[in-house]
Amino acid sequence: AGLVNLLCEKNNVAQRDIESVGVGVPGTVNEDTGYVEFSNNLGFEMVPFIRLLGDMVEAPVHFGNDANAAALGEFYYGAGKNCKNLLYISCGQGVGSGLILNGKLYEGSHLASGEFGNFLVPPSLPGEKPRKLEDRISIEGVLSAINASLPDSVLQKLPDGETTVDFSSMIELWKAKDPYIRSFTHKTFSELGWAISCLQSVIDCEKIIIGGEYLAFAEEMLPTITQILHETSSLPVEVAVSDLWNTGGTLGLIATCQ
């Protein structure tokens, strides 16, 4: 309740003037029952989200998967306008997707159609088990790999007192074209491109939109994914970056609340 009041005060809005509330949640959500059935990022399992939030606000509460909300935002207001079949990919803190088929959001039989990060990546060494795509290419996964054997040439470029690369310093090192960092971004965007190519072979959408924190690397990411799709997929498709950046999910939720 304190957070709700703080948001109202910050935006100079009275609760009585709010017509509806929309919330994007990473994970499997069921608006019919009001439960977040599972969210790995939040540590939720069968949480009565609508009831809990409804106790804090006076307006009706709507919620949905965050990537699905962003896909709807792009479909109604962004780079996906006028697209009948659209795939939205969010990559950065997590890896997820939202799918618009025949002009409607497709959630699947178990409300989990967008769990793109659960794609399995084959092991690179004998005896290893396949890993989830999100574990390999999310910010946490990439930074873990980068810092596992950080060379002195990179350490010397970090701010005083820093001994590991965080996401902010990763961006700055990438902008400076550091070869060690660039080797990880190339691998990351290549793996993302191969996974998208597999997905495109199944759904045959007319446009793929990329969003999330990795838009900071769009100059490298977009050409890498486009080239991989050109080389591996027989289905022509346009790849674009999000028009809406961080506002896509918000706009998608607004469309849902109307």
Side-chain angles (χ1 to χ4, degrees):
L3 178 59
V4 173
N5 291 332
L6 179 62
L7 288 171
C8 288
E9 291 175 8
K10 186 176 180 180
N11 292 280
N12 195 28
V13 174
Q15 274 221 39
R16 63 179 178 275
D17 295 328
I18 299 175
E19 294 187 6
S20 61
V21 175
V23 182
V25 180
T28 304
V29 303
N30 188 331
E31 188 160 8
D32 289 336
T33 64
Y35 276 74
V36 175
E37 296 184 353
F38 181 76
S39 174
N40 184 59
N41 289 352
L42 299 177
F44 286 0
E45 187 168 355
M46 297 308 295
V47 174
F49 191 83
I50 293 291
R51 178 176 63 78
L52 293 174
L53 187 55
D55 291 340
M56 304 178 193
V57 297
E58 301 170 10
V61 177
H62 303 269
F63 74 151
N65 173 272
D66 56 348
N68 286 346
L72 287 169
E74 295 292 343
F75 177 71
Y76 284 113
Y77 306 107
K81 284 192 294 187
N82 302 318
C83 286
K84 188 176 180 181
N85 298 302
L86 163 72
L87 174 64
Y88 172 83
I89 299 287
S90 176
C91 194
Q93 195 66 38
V95 179
S97 67
L99 183 59
I100 305 291
L101 292 180
N102 295 318
K104 296 182 179 180
L105 178 68
Y106 178 75
E107 296 181 279
S109 299
H110 302 91
L111 305 173
S113 65
E115 297 302 323
F116 180 60
N118 287 335
F119 270 31
L120 291 179
V121 180
S124 55
L125 297 173
E128 285 186 346
K129 293 182 178 180
R131 294 179 61 195
K132 291 182 179 181
L133 182 67
E134 182 170 276
D135 293 339
R136 289 176 63 90
I137 70 169
S138 66
I139 291 174
E140 181 180 356
V142 173
L143 289 179
S144 176
I146 287 173
N147 289 308
S149 54
L150 205 58
D152 288 340
S153 60
V154 175
L155 281 169
Q156 293 169 2
K157 299 175 185 177
L158 295 178
D160 290 343
E162 298 293 329
T163 57
T164 58
V165 173
D166 60 17
F167 190 56
S168 295
S169 55
M170 177 184 171
I171 292 173
E172 294 306 313
L173 289 164
W174 175 82
K175 288 179 179 178
K177 298 185 178 181
D178 179 87
Y180 180 74
I181 297 299
R182 288 264 174 160
S183 69
F184 283 94
T185 55
H186 176 74
K187 180 181 178 182
T188 297
F189 303 141
S190 295
E191 291 193 5
L192 178 60
W194 295 330
I196 291 175
S197 178
C198 292
L199 199 52
Q200 168 64 358
S201 297
V202 175
I203 62 176
D204 184 20
C205 61
E206 61 193 282
K207 195 167 191 178
I208 296 171
I209 300 174
I210 312 293
E213 290 85 357
Y214 282 166
L215 287 179
F217 309 107
E219 181 182 309
E220 177 187 1
M221 178 174 63
L222 195 63
T224 300
I225 293 172
T226 299
Q227 181 179 350
I228 287 173
L229 284 167
H230 177 74
E231 294 174 350
T232 62
S233 176
S234 60
L235 305 174
V237 62
E238 179 186 355
V239 183
V241 297
S242 167
D243 275 352
L244 305 176
W245 289 68
N246 293 331
T247 63
T250 302
L251 291 172
L253 288 165
I254 289 172
T256 301
C257 291
Q258 290 176 347

